[in-house]
Amino acid sequence: MLADVEEKLRRGNQVLFDSSSPCLWEFCRSMEKMHRKNRILWALECAEEMVAEWEQAYPQELRPRQALWECRRWAAGEIKMPQAKAAILACHAAAKDLQDPWAAAMCHAIGQGVSTIHVGRHALGIPIYYLTALVRRNPEDYESRVLGQVARYLTRMDDWERADISGYTWAKFLQKEEKIPGEA
């Protein structure tokens, strides 16, 4: 199932997954069906977990934590997009500054995850970059970890889609109910 990843490793690609990766097909279908706010909460949960992992390796590098913090505030309507965008861009910039393939993938995964607030399709960046980070951490033995993480994503997406999110405070631009593609 991960032959595409092997091929990308062989070619020296930086990013090892994309929307056409067979292991992400079910993820993509599930993500497209999620309600916007539920998807945002799922993405923020993923970002929180990734930031915790990040801080174990780079405790002095605060840009990923700052991006998560600012985007939580943005989703709640406490700040406007420009402030959150600056923090997201700073998180992505950390990837270049550190010049570590694992760190780069993690920064991009976190940055894409928190950007889900603005554009729902950014949620796809979470597995694209986080799974790349898993492979970068141990390129000789990754298949079970990658497939286990994809299964975990699907479970948590389902949990968030069924969750009662009525107690959350949302920015005005997120308060509108959106129509799911295919729903009447």
Side-chain angles (χ1 to χ4, degrees), residues 3-176:
D4 60 321
V5 175
E6 288 294 324
E7 177 61 22
K8 288 177 182 174
L9 278 168
R10 188 187 65 68
R11 288 192 316 239
N13 291 28
Q14 288 184 333
V15 181
L16 304 174
F17 297 84
D18 59 44
S19 62
S20 66
S21 296
C23 69
L24 294 179
W25 290 347
E26 187 177 352
F27 173 89
C28 290
R29 282 191 301 276
S30 294
M31 183 191 70
E32 290 296 325
K33 293 177 186 175
M34 284 186 87
H35 287 85
R36 183 178 189 184
K37 292 176 203 168
N38 302 73
R39 185 185 312 123
I40 289 168
L41 292 169
W42 171 81
L44 290 172
E45 176 185 75
C46 289
E48 184 70 50
E49 292 170 0
M50 291 184 292
V51 166
E53 185 177 341
W54 169 265
E55 290 172 340
Q56 294 296 311
Y58 290 97
Q60 303 303 327
E61 177 52 73
L62 303 177
R63 288 177 282 186
R65 170 67 64 190
Q66 188 67 32
L68 174 61
W69 172 250
E70 295 295 354
C71 287
R72 283 190 182 281
R73 294 178 61 217
W74 178 30
E78 297 171 10
I79 63 171
K80 298 290 185 189
M81 180 186 183
Q83 190 173 341
K85 183 178 178 181
I88 293 166
L89 293 175
C91 181
H92 285 296
K96 292 182 181 122
D97 294 346
L98 296 170
Q99 298 189 1
D100 167 359
W102 176 84
M106 289 294 287
C107 288
H108 292 313
I110 294 163
Q112 289 291 302
V114 297
S115 296
T116 301
I117 295 164
H118 186 250
V119 176
R121 295 271 312 153
H122 282 293
L124 180 58
I126 294 170
I128 286 174
Y129 288 104
Y130 185 73
L131 297 177
T132 294
L134 284 180
V135 175
R136 294 290 179 211
R137 181 157 270 173
N138 187 353
E140 285 77 42
D141 181 30
Y142 61 83
E143 187 169 350
S144 65
R145 286 181 290 118
V146 165
L147 296 177
Q149 185 63 39
V150 172
R152 186 171 183 283
Y153 287 147
L154 292 169
T155 298
R156 293 303 295 147
M157 288 168 77
D158 187 52
D159 292 344
W160 274 112
E161 191 60 17
R162 290 183 283 110
D164 176 8
I165 63 169
S166 61
Y168 286 86
T169 301
W170 297 99
K172 285 188 183 202
F173 76 95
L174 293 172
Q175 290 177 8
K176 297 180 272 184

